[in-house]
Amino acid sequence: MDREKQKRAPIYEALEAFKKKRVVPFDVPGHKRGRGNPELVQLLGEKCVSLDVNSMKPLDNLCHPVSVIKEAEELAAEAFGAAGAYLMVGGTTSAVQTMILSVCRAGDKIILPRNVHKSVINAMVLCGAVPVYVNPDVNQKLGISLGMEVDKVRQAIEDNPDAVAVFVNNPTYYGICSDIKTIVELAHARGMKVLADEAHGTHLYFGKNLPVSAMEAGADLAAVSMHKSGGSLTQSSLLLLNKGVNADYVRQIINLTQTTSASYLLLSSLDISRRNLALRGEESFGKVVDMAEYARSEINSIGGYYAYGKELVNGNSVFDYDVTKLSVYTRDIGLAGIEVYDLLRDEYDIQIEFGDISNILAYISIGDRIQDIERLVGALADIERLYKKDSTGLLSGEYISPKVVMSPQKAFYSDKISLPVEKSSGRVCAEFVMCYPPGIPILAPGEMITDDIVEYIMYAKEKGCSMQGTEDPAVEHLMVLANI
């Protein structure tokens, strides 16, 4: 990586030059540098609103970049050790869907774990790909899915030689990593592409002694959430390409769904954040690791909680662990993760990333300070002392592997009827049901609803999880196939 080149931020520089020219706007956006919307200026600031501009020759165009955006993408590719990179303004959802739409056509099989983000299954609804799930093992105590085991992936590849791709989470929301390097070797030996969801793995490209990144492991495409651990604005992301991928075709796929009015606030934030990571990422993520390990140690010393880490590594279903993730098991203090999440926010003014049935996740990144960690640890100690109760009656195990009856696309577009959740067991689901975050569907279109899944949905609602995906906003009814 050329550090001198990485000091450039071409989109940021072009915006600065543009601002100095005081160009009179007879183009969109209609707020005209904020003059038409003073409340927006008051909220966001004059500088921010004045840079909310439209594509034009000096600022390039994201759909077909030829100058400053093209240069920014080339710098991003170099910084991440990729053959190519695309700036994405539709979030990592857009990047994930581009990966799948780039390699899968209607009827094509894709091998993947079931604990994927909803964007993956949404992509299959759009293109008609057929999932072949490698159901990962579950840590029964923690109630979380682990990584894909190499032997199970090998078997899935042998059983489905016509599959076009293998999809890997690197890492999962909870920090679990599969052996992506070996999975790449197995897939490539059969001519299959490897797609990596690195929504939670930006730092793997810059930190020391962290799990291997997808590009380094040889994956063909990787979706990277720069806005999560990389410091850019929400909704900004990168799509990375390795050698041997048709970059021009991928751009065409991006342009099928991505906006033609890309936000320069998002684009410049990607440009500036890439420069920041290229120049200071190793140092920054070294501090993140130290803070996360310190927090883990302090939380485990409270008693009752279990902040898990590298001790989970077994070389197979947990091939490696991302120690920047501060995942904490809460059920031993008699509280579901979502209950601890609510208490932290409502009683202590601390907003963590999410709580599920058994765990909480506090996201630690380049913007955190040690005093914030101390405040979180103190609040958790307080909650343990004040709210601890008997854990009898808490539902154990967060993840239930659903049975797939038909493709997500076929189920989503089939005739359907609405049934009360408690009367839906035995039917085939025709929509999504999930707690968000993390956005991993409890049910997806085409999956069989069982008594266990109904119980889990009712329990998650009762505990206060944010339920999404259903046509019914109250999640009291589910859409199921009419004829099955």
Side-chain angles (χ1 to χ4, degrees):
M1 185 172 67
D2 185 338
R3 282 184 67 84
E4 278 307 306
K5 263 173 70 180
Q6 289 294 327
K7 288 178 182 175
R8 293 281 322 278
I11 299 172
Y12 166 74
E13 291 157 14
L15 283 170
E16 287 282 26
F18 169 79
K19 195 164 174 13
K20 285 174 185 165
K21 289 191 173 178
R22 302 174 69 86
V23 174
V24 179
F26 282 103
D27 60 351
V28 297
H31 61 68
K32 302 294 172 99
R33 316 290 189 264
R35 290 197 303 269
N37 196 341
E39 286 105 332
L40 192 65
V41 178
Q42 196 174 356
L43 177 66
L44 299 179
E46 186 275 331
K47 184 160 190 180
C48 175
V49 178
S50 72
L51 293 177
D52 180 36
V53 293
N54 193 30
S55 295
M56 59 188 74
K57 281 191 176 180
L59 297 180
D60 209 356
N61 189 300
L62 186 61
C63 295
H64 188 83
V66 295
S67 58
V68 293
I69 293 176
K70 185 170 185 282
E71 190 182 346
E73 290 184 332
E74 288 166 355
L75 287 167
E78 184 192 54
F80 281 79
Y86 293 113
L87 306 184
M88 307 293 292
V89 294
T92 309
T93 287
S94 179
V96 164
Q97 292 179 347
T98 295
M99 291 196 300
I100 292 170
L101 295 174
S102 294
V103 300
C104 294
R105 297 174 186 174
D108 282 348
K109 292 180 187 173
I110 178 169
I111 296 167
L112 69 167
R114 176 54 180 71
N115 61 321
V116 288
H117 188 261
K118 67 172 183 174
S119 57
V120 179
I121 301 172
N122 279 339
M124 291 190 281
V125 169
L126 292 174
C127 72
V130 178
V132 175
Y133 289 124
V134 176
N135 281 326
D137 276 352
V138 174
N139 182 307
Q140 295 298 339
K141 176 180 169 66
L142 303 178
I144 62 171
S145 292
L146 304 178
M148 286 197 291
E149 294 177 28
V150 166
D151 285 346
K152 289 183 179 177
V153 175
R154 184 184 288 113
Q155 191 64 52
I157 288 172
E158 287 176 7
D159 292 346
N160 300 275
D162 53 340
V164 297
V166 179
F167 188 97
V168 186
N169 293 316
N170 193 52
T172 69
Y173 224 138
Y174 300 92
I176 309 289
C177 295
S178 303
D179 183 357
I180 187 170
K181 199 167 189 304
T182 301
I183 290 170
V184 166
E185 289 165 6
L186 290 172
H188 284 178
R190 293 296 189 96
M192 299 176 191
K193 298 289 189 194
V194 176
L195 318 177
D197 181 347
E198 290 190 308
H200 305 284
T202 308
H203 47 288
L204 304 185
Y205 290 87
F206 303 97
K208 271 191 166 178
N209 303 315
L210 290 173
V212 68
S213 70
M215 288 293 106
E216 191 182 343
D220 299 282
L221 293 150
V224 178
S225 274
M226 278 288 278
H227 71 95
K228 289 191 171 77
S229 59
S232 65
L233 289 177
T234 295
Q235 205 177 306
S236 58
S237 183
L238 291 175
L239 177 58
L240 305 178
L241 288 68
N242 233 324
K243 293 173 190 149
V245 175
N246 184 338
D248 296 325
Y249 178 68
V250 173
R251 173 85 69 189
Q252 284 191 313
I253 297 294
I254 291 170
N255 287 339
L256 287 178
T257 56
Q258 188 164 254
T259 179
T260 54
S261 305
S263 165
Y264 279 89
L265 301 177
L266 299 181
L267 293 175
S268 59
S269 84
L270 282 169
D271 200 22
I272 294 163
S273 300
R274 179 271 313 154
R275 178 173 68 179
N276 184 37
L277 295 183
L279 300 178
R280 293 176 287 278
E282 189 176 312
E283 175 194 352
S284 297
F285 290 123
K287 289 177 182 171
V288 170
V289 168
D290 289 345
M291 281 191 288
E293 292 286 34
Y294 170 72
R296 221 180 318 274
S297 170
E298 291 292 297
I299 291 167
N300 283 332
S301 70
I302 294 169
Y305 297 108
Y306 173 33
Y308 38 99
K310 278 272 195 184
E311 72 282 355
L312 294 182
V313 172
N314 58 22
N316 193 10
S317 59
V318 187
F319 182 76
D320 206 346
Y321 188 80
D322 173 14
V323 293
T324 70
K325 300 288 184 292
L326 184 58
S327 301
V328 184
Y329 176 73
T330 65
R331 284 181 65 245
D332 283 346
I333 67 164
L335 295 174
I338 189 64
E339 292 175 305
V340 176
Y341 169 101
D342 286 340
L343 285 167
L344 283 168
R345 185 192 61 247
D346 297 343
E347 302 298 328
Y348 299 90
D349 294 329
I350 294 173
Q351 181 63 59
I352 58 169
E353 177 67 6
F354 75 81
D356 62 24
I357 297 303
S358 303
N359 307 271
I360 57 170
L361 173 68
Y363 217 96
I364 298 179
S365 71
I366 56 178
D368 283 301
R369 305 168 301 171
I370 197 68
Q371 56 262 47
D372 299 324
I373 302 290
E374 298 281 12
R375 186 169 165 189
L376 173 64
V377 172
L380 287 173
D382 225 26
I383 288 169
E384 192 273 342
R385 182 172 55 83
L386 296 172
Y387 297 96
K388 182 176 182 178
K389 59 186 179 185
D390 184 6
S391 59
T392 307
L394 284 183
L395 193 67
S396 63
E398 186 270 336
Y399 184 75
I400 302 164
S401 295
K403 180 187 172 191
V404 179
V405 178
M406 64 177 64
S407 77
Q409 186 185 63
K410 186 177 178 185
F412 188 82
Y413 290 112
S414 291
D415 291 336
K416 49 193 110 163
I417 59 171
S418 175
L419 286 180
V421 172
E422 60 273 20
K423 293 183 179 176
S424 63
S425 185
R427 304 298 291 256
V428 177
C429 192
E431 61 183 350
F432 290 92
V433 189
M434 74 199 83
C435 298
Y436 191 86
I440 298 164
I442 301 163
L443 280 169
E447 293 176 350
M448 181 64 70
I449 305 168
T450 63
D451 291 343
D452 284 348
I453 290 172
V454 167
E455 182 190 7
Y456 177 76
I457 293 169
M458 306 294 280
Y459 183 82
K461 278 178 61 183
E462 178 196 327
K463 288 295 181 185
C465 288
S466 173
M467 307 295 287
Q468 296 187 8
T470 53
E471 274 192 34
D472 175 13
V475 198
E476 290 170 352
H477 292 76
L478 292 182
M479 299 303 293
V480 302
L481 264 62
N483 54 355
I484 299 181

